[in-house]
Amino acid sequence: MNLPQHPELLDRLASAYALGTLRGGARRRFEALAREQAPVRAAALIWQSRVASMNELQAPVEPSPAVWTRIHNLVQAEREQVVMAAAHEAKAPPTPGGWLRSLALWRGTTAAGALATVLAVVTAVGLRDEMGAQIGELQAQLSAQPQIEYVAVLNDEQASASMLVTFDPKNGRLTLQRVGGYQEAADKSLQLWALPPGAAPRSLGVLSQEKLLQLAADQRDVREVPALAISLEPKGGVPSETGPTGPVLFKGALIQKML
């Protein structure tokens, strides 16, 4: 299947991949498609950046003391039951069949499994009220995601993804996220260029050293531009009229998403 021709399905698969709910063979097939098709790779990176940014915004949640008290009481009670079962089994007369003599072990194993389930449920119940407000906030953030019409994954010379670029026409901004480990020197700047066909490169802005940044842009700046590039320039960048003066580090196709 050509996933880029089915944007709604691609978006659902990319979100499931980023959240970790896409598993097994489906996950492996999606990863194979992402290696072969830039739009699939871009969709996966977009959702990974969304999930990562939401995680960074959330404050850590500390379980209440009551949760730890209930866990401690359950563990203590379960230990006492296992000890009593083992003592009772030791006093019981021998019974035929080797598997029957292992009854205490089976009881202990079953109790341990049940305890794990109980602990998971108790912890979830204890945290439910505290997490409820944050879950609602995450859902609101997902629904308020910007309208992304153009996507580019800029690769280095080894074809490794180094920069994810998206364009939101509704808010008139380019969003750039570093997905590689490259970091320019303090006396250098990265500069983003549009590469229109049959024309000289046009500067779209100078990048700061932040991992995630935004640049103001108009739809005319990216319309009918097949590719973007990032060059290494002197601190503060160079005028658009001169074009790139330093080496081009990253380059990639600019793809218009099907809305």
Side-chain angles (χ1 to χ4, degrees):
M1 176 183 292
N2 190 349
L3 274 180
Q5 294 184 356
H6 304 273
E8 293 184 1
L9 175 60
L10 173 57
D11 194 62
R12 287 199 299 270
L13 289 174
S15 63
Y17 179 80
L19 292 170
T21 57
L22 188 66
R23 300 173 181 173
R27 188 176 185 87
R28 290 191 292 273
R29 287 192 295 272
F30 184 83
E31 290 174 342
L33 289 173
R35 288 191 293 269
E36 298 169 358
Q37 303 179 25
V40 179
R41 187 163 61 252
L45 287 170
I46 289 171
W47 268 102
Q48 286 174 336
S49 66
R50 287 176 175 175
V51 173
S53 62
M54 287 190 295
N55 288 339
E56 293 173 359
L57 290 173
Q58 301 309 308
V61 177
E62 184 69 25
S64 65
V67 173
W68 296 119
T69 301
R70 288 197 294 269
I71 292 175
H72 174 75
N73 293 339
L74 283 169
V75 171
Q76 193 65 30
E78 197 62 41
R79 283 177 180 171
E80 294 176 358
Q81 290 181 9
V82 172
V83 171
M84 292 176 62
H88 176 75
E89 191 66 23
K91 294 179 181 179
T95 55
W99 67 273
L100 286 176
R101 290 193 293 270
S102 304
L103 182 57
L105 175 62
W106 286 107
R107 285 175 177 171
T109 304
T110 304
L115 175 60
T117 303
V118 170
L119 291 180
V121 172
V122 169
T123 302
V125 171
L127 294 178
R128 181 181 55 194
D129 293 338
E130 299 178 43
M131 291 294 292
Q134 292 193 0
I135 291 173
E137 184 178 347
L138 290 179
Q139 292 173 339
Q141 289 177 10
L142 279 176
S143 63
Q145 290 296 328
Q147 175 188 345
I148 296 175
E149 185 173 343
Y150 292 86
V151 179
V153 179
L154 307 188
N155 301 320
D156 59 18
E157 292 182 351
Q158 288 73 42
S160 298
S162 298
M163 190 79 67
L164 172 66
V165 184
T166 59
F167 175 65
D168 174 13
K170 182 175 64 175
N171 298 304
R173 66 190 181 198
L174 286 161
T175 300
L176 297 92
Q177 180 172 0
R178 298 175 187 246
V179 294
Y182 181 83
Q183 187 65 55
E184 64 275 19
D187 62 341
K188 299 290 184 179
S189 292
L190 297 181
Q191 191 160 355
L192 178 66
W193 300 88
L195 305 179
R202 184 174 65 253
S203 176
L204 295 177
V206 178
L207 283 58
S208 68
Q209 294 191 339
E210 297 174 356
K211 187 173 182 179
L212 181 67
L213 63 128
Q214 295 180 340
L215 299 173
D218 189 88
Q219 192 160 8
R220 292 172 297 180
D221 296 327
V222 297
R223 186 185 295 122
E224 298 180 0
V225 172
L228 301 176
I230 292 179
S231 64
L232 184 64
E233 303 294 345
K235 188 69 174 179
V238 296
S240 181
E241 295 76 15
T242 66
T245 62
V248 174
L249 302 179
F250 315 125
K251 186 177 179 181
L254 181 63
I255 303 165
Q256 184 173 15
K257 293 182 61 179
M258 299 172 64
L259 300 178

